[in-house]
Amino acid sequence: MYRVAIVGRPNVGKSSLFNRIIGKRKAIVEDIPGVTRDRIVSTAEWRGIPFEIVDTGGYIEGDKDIFAPYIRKQIEKELDLSDAFILVVDGKEGITPADQEIAKILHRTDKPVYIAVNKIDNPENEEVVYEFYELGFDKVFPVSSIQKYGVADLLDAVVEDIPHYEKESIKEETKKEDRDLIKVAIVGKPNAGKSSLLNAILGEERAVVSDIPGTTRDVVDTLFEWNGQKFIFLDTAGLRKKSKVDYGIEFFSVGRTLESIKKADVIVHVIDAQQGATEQDTKIAHLIQKYTKPAVIVINKIDTVPPKSEVLNRIKNQVRERLYFIPYAPIVMTSAKNRKGIKQLLREIIEVYNQAWKRVGTGQLNRAIKQILSLRQPPSYQGKPLKIYYATQLEGKPPCFLLFVNYPEGFKEHFVRFLENNLRTVLGFEKAPIKLLFRGRDESRD
Ligand code: GDP
Ligand code: GDP
């Protein structure tokens, strides 16, 4: 989430402004290893746009106008972590050397910096703000945290600078109605039984089915409701009409498969039980992995193989081994022909979707990481052991975790996969893909 840090020397009113911005929300203490003073963090929202706000705090009675070394450290740390900065200064006192020091640090970044000239309790005193342009930033706002004055203009400027894509993704993520509707793509090689499976699903008892014409020609999605859950099956024109003749029997379009995978919330990957996972299935699954999509693997035509557990297990193992890189996708066995396993499939779609939306607390996450690291020593990088200082879950789906580490480039595929698999188990994301992002934090300054 877009992160805005409130910085400034002690006693200028950072906490007051922070509290004003978060309103009734609850703030939490963010414990970042290596930082002398904990930060207070909360989500905030302005004009419908959520963001994260941080009070870098750290007020000690007595060091009012001293530019203590810990303030420098606090702010330097925050330069990497945050996307924008509100530098709070005291309008009654004017510019102090400490303000200038802090402004100097902030000039090192290209990220937006706003000056909040606080304690302008009387709008008539607004002209004192001009003095603060001397700090070298052109977004200067008179505010009074106590009188609530000017805070709206300041926040308007802040959210105005949040990049468009960030706003869009936030809006999409928070749209409630979005969550009620699961977009499903049925993919697989020709003849695996995709059409038959879709028809079996749509033929479920008490299902409500309707077609939604797409925006482009020959794209039709199908809306389907079952047990109070709405699904949209994407790009069903070909599947429902069964227009094989148009394509030729071996037609397999990676492009079309890719489009569906990108658009969908959950992928249903259909595999023919008689053939097991083939080369084409590996390609499809690689796309699923590449786009970090929740998926259900369907082994279809189960009626064509002997109903013995060793046979079924052998098929399942073959599929698991071949598609080892999407270990989170549950496997369901179906017979579209006999309408077997359909309810199970629908339940799994709902389950993986819900897991993909799940959030875990920062405390729980960091405990899980500690636990996992105790299972296996992290490898070394350039002769030094890799370290994970702190992790946090980002907004949105699939679950995405940001890890602050000493050497981001030292985290190689093998160890990353180990972390991913264990995090999924420990945190209850067994059926969801998760994504890990690594960000460097230079600890040498502490
Ligand atoms: P911090 O150390 O920067 O977090 O500052 P605080 O938020 O703790 O505020 C320091 C002092 O300034 C407190 O006594 C506040 O009541 C006071 N203060 C904060 N904002 C305002 C304001 O807008 N007007 C006035 N007059 N006092 C303020
Ligand atoms: P698509 O190309 O993936 O859409 O596959 P279709 O649904 O057209 O199925 C291909 C062939 O497999 C057709 O002849 C279907 O009747 C047959 N088929 C599909 N599902 C099953 C199944 O569960 N059992 C059996 N025995 N045949 C099936």
Side-chain angles (χ1 to χ4, degrees), residues 8-17 55 57-59 88 90 92 118-121 143-147:
R9 62 190 174 85
N11 219 27
V12 287
K14 294 187 297 300
S15 312
S16 312
L17 180 63
D55 176 7
Y59 169 55
V88 185
D90 188 326
K92 283 187 177 159
N118 192 35
K119 309 194 187 177
I120 310 278
D121 301 336
V143 300
S144 166
S145 308
I146 285 180
Q147 309 285 340

Side-chain angles (χ1 to χ4, degrees), residues 252 254 278-288 323 325:
F252 169 61
V254 176
T278 63
E279 189 63 40
Q280 277 181 345
D281 291 311
T282 322
K283 280 187 195 140
I284 295 170
H286 270 304
L287 295 177
I288 293 173
L323 308 186
F325 44 87

Side-chain angles (χ1 to χ4, degrees), residues 35-312:
V35 169
T36 344
R37 258 140 241 278
D38 295 334
R39 287 143 162 76
I40 314 285
V41 185
S42 173
T43 54
E45 194 183 300
W46 185 248
R47 307 230 186 270
I49 299 160
F51 56 94
E52 197 173 72
I53 185 111
V54 187
D55 176 7
T56 54
Y59 169 55
I60 301 179
E61 202 77 49
D63 61 3
K64 205 172 151 215
D65 191 34
I66 296 162
F67 186 66
Y70 75 82
I71 302 177
R72 170 184 293 277
K73 244 182 226 172
Q74 292 272 62
I75 298 169
E76 285 178 337
K77 281 271 175 243
E78 210 54 49
L79 281 187
D80 287 340
L81 296 174
S82 282
D83 301 295
F85 303 87
I86 299 175
L87 169 57
V88 185
V89 292
D90 188 326
K92 283 187 177 159
E93 293 190 27
I95 295 184
T96 70
D99 295 334
Q100 279 163 335
E101 282 287 333
I102 296 170
K104 218 197 266 170
I105 300 173
L106 293 175
H107 273 296
R108 284 194 222 150
T109 177
D110 291 333
K111 297 169 181 176
V113 174
Y114 314 88
I115 309 278
V117 183
N118 192 35
K119 309 194 187 177
I120 310 278
D121 301 336
N122 182 348
E124 280 167 22
N125 299 338
E126 247 191 67
E127 71 274 12
V128 309
V129 306
Y130 295 115
E131 166 184 1
F132 290 93
Y133 281 96
E134 229 177 83
L135 294 172
F137 298 100
D138 40 321
K139 291 168 180 164
V140 180
F141 300 86
V143 300
S144 166
S145 308
I146 285 180
Q147 309 285 340
K148 288 191 188 180
Y149 165 78
V151 178
D153 287 343
L154 170 67
L155 291 179
D156 276 347
V158 170
V159 300
E160 166 119 16
D161 287 335
I162 298 180
H164 196 63
Y165 62 87
E166 191 119 21
K167 285 183 201 161
E168 283 307 306
S169 70
I170 287 166
K171 270 194 214 145
E172 212 160 274
E173 283 156 12
T174 45
K175 248 196 252 157
K176 176 74 184 76
E177 60 269 37
D178 239 29
R179 290 207 52 170
D180 297 336
L181 194 75
I182 309 178
K183 290 190 228 106
V184 184
I186 301 180
V187 300
K189 62 193 204 67
N191 271 321
K194 298 182 294 299
S195 308
S196 312
L197 194 66
L198 178 66
N199 288 327
I201 292 170
L202 302 182
E204 262 303 310
E205 290 164 67
R206 292 191 293 276
V208 183
V209 180
S210 46
D211 285 343
I212 319 163
T215 40
T216 48
R217 201 171 55 85
D218 89 336
V219 171
V220 176
D221 300 332
T222 302
L223 182 66
F224 167 73
E225 195 172 332
W226 177 78
N227 266 357
Q229 176 67 57
K230 289 196 181 91
F231 303 79
I232 281 193
F233 289 97
L234 299 175
D235 194 11
T236 45
L239 291 181
R240 289 188 67 192
K241 268 204 241 94
K242 204 57 271 203
S243 48
K244 273 270 149 63
V245 275
D246 299 340
Y247 299 150
I249 203 75
E250 276 313 307
F251 177 84
F252 169 61
S253 159
V254 176
R256 211 168 169 116
T257 305
L258 179 61
E259 282 315 302
S260 316
I261 287 177
K262 281 206 273 196
K263 273 191 280 174
D265 298 316
V266 177
I267 317 300
V268 172
H269 180 173
V270 187
I271 290 171
D272 187 327
Q274 281 188 313
Q275 298 178 9
T278 63
E279 189 63 40
Q280 277 181 345
D281 291 311
T282 322
K283 280 187 195 140
I284 295 170
H286 270 304
L287 295 177
I288 293 173
Q289 181 207 24
K290 183 169 170 202
Y291 291 94
T292 341
K293 289 292 182 170
V296 180
I297 299 170
V298 170
I299 300 179
N300 186 40
K301 306 195 192 179
I302 212 69
D303 57 288
T304 62
V305 299
K308 290 198 189 111
S309 59
E310 69 258 34
V311 177
L312 300 179

